[in-house]
Amino acid sequence: MRPTDLPIVRELNLFSEMAEVNFQSMMEASYLQTFPAHVELIREGDPADFLYIVVEGSVELFAKSNGREATMGNVRPVGAFILAAVLKDAVYLMSARTSEKSRVLMIPSQNVREAFETDDAFTRSIVVQLANCYRGVVKEYKDLKLRTAVERLANRLLRYHKNQGANGSIELHHDKRKLASLLGMTPENLSRAFNTLKPYGVQVDGSKIHLNDLSALETLAKPNELIDNHQT
């Protein structure tokens, strides 16, 4: 890794409190690389050789079984993925590929496990990271179990709207097929759900979506902090 990259990495929550000697030792074995879009970084079933952290861009997590493929999540800066597999020295349960040009930090798994055993601050940061991931999974599961397809789409649009500055429109960072998979729908069901939302001010223009009646959309969606707030 180039010395100029070290301050960027040091500021990440996972590493900001760990001892300098342990941080330097870990970074000497790590790589910060730029990948073009659509590069497969890991494949489910393979050994977890590295911990991956998205510094710039975005990475899609996906899985396949019986001829089917599903998007499991999208990791954006600054986010780590496959941390549990690294700590357990297990195989990857998901595959990952870049959704766009991305900078990704790759840390050898053995170095992560060694630091986990010896650096208390790093250990605490990992526990917090895993706790956040667990709570995120619970919220996604509640979203799937407790809402109709239309309600899931409405709440996802409201979340994107808030994250993108709440200016009345949003830009999808992935295509509608991936959005459908994230929401547990087929592309056809997603199209019908968008049509259902038209009377509530939702206007689709390619990858841009206008929310022209937020009050009506929120009345339909009934946002719930215990599902939709992914910051806590």
Side-chain angles (χ1 to χ4, degrees), residues 96-110:
R97 60 191 168 212
T98 54
S99 301
E100 57 188 289
K101 182 179 178 181
S102 303
R103 294 182 79 203
V104 180
L105 176 64
M106 303 164 58
I107 307 173
S109 297
Q110 183 61 37

Side-chain angles (χ1 to χ4, degrees), residues 2-212:
R2 295 172 301 183
T4 53
D5 293 325
L6 289 176
I8 299 172
V9 177
R10 187 61 156 143
E11 292 176 0
L12 305 184
N13 290 337
L14 268 180
F15 310 111
S16 60
E17 300 298 326
M18 71 184 304
E20 181 64 23
V21 62
N22 294 331
F23 174 74
Q24 290 292 341
S25 177
M26 181 181 291
M27 290 304 106
E28 286 174 2
S30 303
Y31 309 89
L32 184 60
Q33 296 188 0
T34 300
F35 296 93
H38 312 305
V39 172
E40 187 172 281
L41 301 173
I42 63 174
R43 182 172 298 175
E44 59 185 311
D46 287 349
D49 295 328
F50 291 92
L51 172 65
Y52 293 80
I53 298 176
V54 182
V55 178
E56 294 177 6
S58 63
V59 169
E60 176 193 4
L61 303 177
F62 66 99
K64 296 180 180 180
S65 183
N66 296 328
R68 303 182 184 94
E69 179 178 312
T71 299
M72 306 299 292
N74 286 289
V75 185
R76 303 192 65 83
V78 174
F81 60 94
I82 318 296
L83 179 55
V86 166
L87 291 179
K88 288 176 62 65
D89 195 12
V91 300
Y92 299 123
L93 295 181
M94 297 180 286
S95 301
R97 60 191 168 212
T98 54
S99 301
E100 57 188 289
K101 182 179 178 181
S102 303
R103 294 182 79 203
V104 180
L105 176 64
M106 303 164 58
I107 307 173
S109 297
Q110 183 61 37
N111 295 75
V112 175
R113 289 191 291 269
E114 289 174 359
F116 181 78
E117 294 290 340
T118 59
D119 192 297
D120 290 343
F122 183 59
T123 302
R124 287 193 296 270
S125 296
I126 282 183
V127 170
V128 170
Q129 178 83 17
L130 291 174
N132 287 337
C133 290
Y134 172 77
R135 289 175 64 82
V137 168
V138 171
K139 291 174 182 180
E140 292 289 347
Y141 198 53
K142 290 171 68 175
D143 188 48
L144 286 171
K145 286 287 190 177
L146 299 174
R147 287 170 169 164
T148 66
V150 171
E151 290 169 343
R152 292 200 298 275
L153 176 58
N155 279 285
R156 187 61 61 105
L157 295 178
L158 288 172
R159 187 199 306 177
Y160 290 166
H161 181 249
K162 180 179 179 180
N163 292 343
Q164 294 183 25
N167 61 3
S169 65
I170 61 177
E171 187 77 28
L172 292 180
H173 294 301
H174 37 256
D175 60 39
K176 294 186 180 68
R177 182 174 293 275
K178 290 181 183 178
L179 177 61
S181 189
L182 278 171
L183 295 175
M185 305 182 198
T186 65
E188 294 75 18
N189 285 339
L190 179 66
S191 180
R192 285 193 286 270
F194 269 119
N195 285 331
T196 301
L197 292 180
K198 284 182 179 179
Y200 298 90
V202 176
Q203 177 187 350
V204 180
D205 182 15
S207 63
K208 193 161 191 175
I209 299 175
H210 303 280
L211 308 182
N212 299 318

